[in-house]
Amino acid sequence: MSTIYEKFTSWYLRFNGYFTVDNFVVHAANDATRIRNGIIAPYTETDTIAIRMPYSAEITGELKIANHDILVEKQNGRFDIVIAEVKSGNENKPNSVWRNKSIIPIQYIIRFVGLYDDDQILQVTDQLSKQYLYEDKKSRIRYIVFANQPNLWYSSRGVKYITFSQMARFLVHVRGQCWINAGIGVASVHYQWDDQIKTIFEIANDFNKPIETRESDILQFLISENRK
């Protein structure tokens, strides 16, 4: 089962136009040391793989619903793929696959995404494992860590970090505010959504409280739900 932080991250990606695959398991059937009594242990598990189409937009009436610039900037009409790693508490290092630049599981993920043929996969894997980013004219694929704080050592080496505080601020100040700025209303109805995500939006849309308080309340809600 996903933690509340993993769920929050997956929904954040969805709010920004990404189609998501959660809890993606990288199988290891070619590694005999990982097979015991017929059970195959995986190489790793990726919290979310997300893909945004080149011209994705969510428009209602005259309103183009806002996306988060720190996530979608420089997409430039390309397929945009995010391999999302979620770290709660004080954890903020990439998982061992990315720290050790393990080629086989990274290659497995790239092949699953399906944008690159066999001749390209090795090149994409090599660059992504070394720089945590691959991009060409048609696509961009990034390894992004979502955490409370960035790890400065890995950030300096190319790992992109997005913090939960930045995500909360996006919901309160950018996503919610775009409706108000358009003169449409103060909130929309999402009764079909998961209860935890509906609660987060209720907090974000509580206009009796200042923006900073709502952001803080979202972060406190994540902490309390994670303790359950």
Side-chain angles (χ1 to χ4, degrees):
M1 181 180 295
S2 297
T3 69
I4 182 61
Y5 288 100
E6 290 168 356
K7 186 184 296 184
F8 182 47
T9 300
S10 182
W11 277 89
Y12 166 79
L13 290 162
R14 150 69 185 88
F15 296 146
N16 282 285
Y18 292 80
F19 297 94
T20 59
V21 177
D22 297 329
N23 308 120
F24 181 74
V25 174
V26 177
H27 298 290
N30 61 327
D31 186 345
T33 65
R34 295 177 180 268
I35 303 174
R36 181 173 298 177
N37 298 325
I39 305 300
I40 306 166
Y43 279 117
T44 190
E45 179 257 0
T46 296
D47 293 317
T48 298
I49 297 174
I51 183 167
R52 191 175 195 269
M53 298 303 166
Y55 308 107
S56 176
E58 197 170 354
I59 298 174
T60 177
E62 299 298 317
L63 170 65
K64 182 176 181 180
I65 297 176
N67 295 132
H68 203 181
D69 285 344
I70 65 170
L71 177 64
V72 304
E73 63 182 351
K74 299 180 181 179
Q75 182 180 6
N76 300 333
R78 299 178 292 179
F79 292 96
D80 194 27
I81 303 97
V82 171
I83 302 168
E85 187 78 38
V86 183
K87 300 293 186 181
S88 59
N90 294 323
E91 290 291 325
N92 61 8
K93 291 181 180 180
N95 74 16
S96 59
V97 164
W98 295 89
R99 294 199 306 272
N100 300 331
K101 306 184 184 304
S102 304
I103 296 300
I104 292 176
I106 295 174
Q107 188 179 85
Y108 187 109
I109 294 169
I110 293 168
R111 183 173 284 112
F112 174 79
V113 168
L115 285 179
Y116 312 101
D117 61 29
D118 286 342
D119 291 334
Q120 295 173 294
I121 284 176
L122 287 178
Q123 177 190 353
V124 177
T125 301
D126 181 65
Q127 186 169 322
L128 185 62
S129 67
K130 292 176 180 176
Q131 301 178 14
Y132 311 100
L133 166 70
Y134 172 83
E135 54 186 338
D136 57 24
K137 291 182 179 179
K138 75 171 184 178
S139 64
R140 175 176 66 173
I141 181 166
R142 295 171 290 168
Y143 175 70
I144 302 180
V145 177
F146 297 82
N148 280 310
Q149 296 292 335
N151 182 295
L152 297 181
W153 195 89
Y154 282 102
S155 180
S156 70
R157 281 152 180 78
V159 178
K160 182 174 179 64
Y161 280 84
I162 296 178
T163 68
F164 302 128
S165 294
Q166 290 172 316
M167 295 156 69
R169 184 166 181 79
F170 161 72
L171 290 183
V172 174
H173 190 69
V174 179
R175 178 85 176 198
Q177 195 68 29
C178 74
W179 290 84
I180 298 171
N181 292 342
I184 296 174
V186 297
S188 55
V189 176
H190 309 101
Y191 61 84
Q192 305 94 334
W193 287 358
D194 176 276
D195 286 340
Q196 290 173 317
I197 300 302
K198 285 192 293 184
T199 298
I200 288 172
F201 257 72
E202 288 171 5
I203 296 169
N205 293 329
D206 184 356
F207 295 97
N208 293 315
K209 295 181 178 180
I211 285 176
E212 292 76 11
T213 301
R214 284 179 270 158
E215 293 171 10
S216 177
D217 287 350
I218 289 173
L219 298 177
Q220 287 302 314
F221 175 75
L222 294 172
I223 291 171
S224 64
E225 289 295 297
N226 196 51
R227 289 172 176 166
K228 291 181 178 179

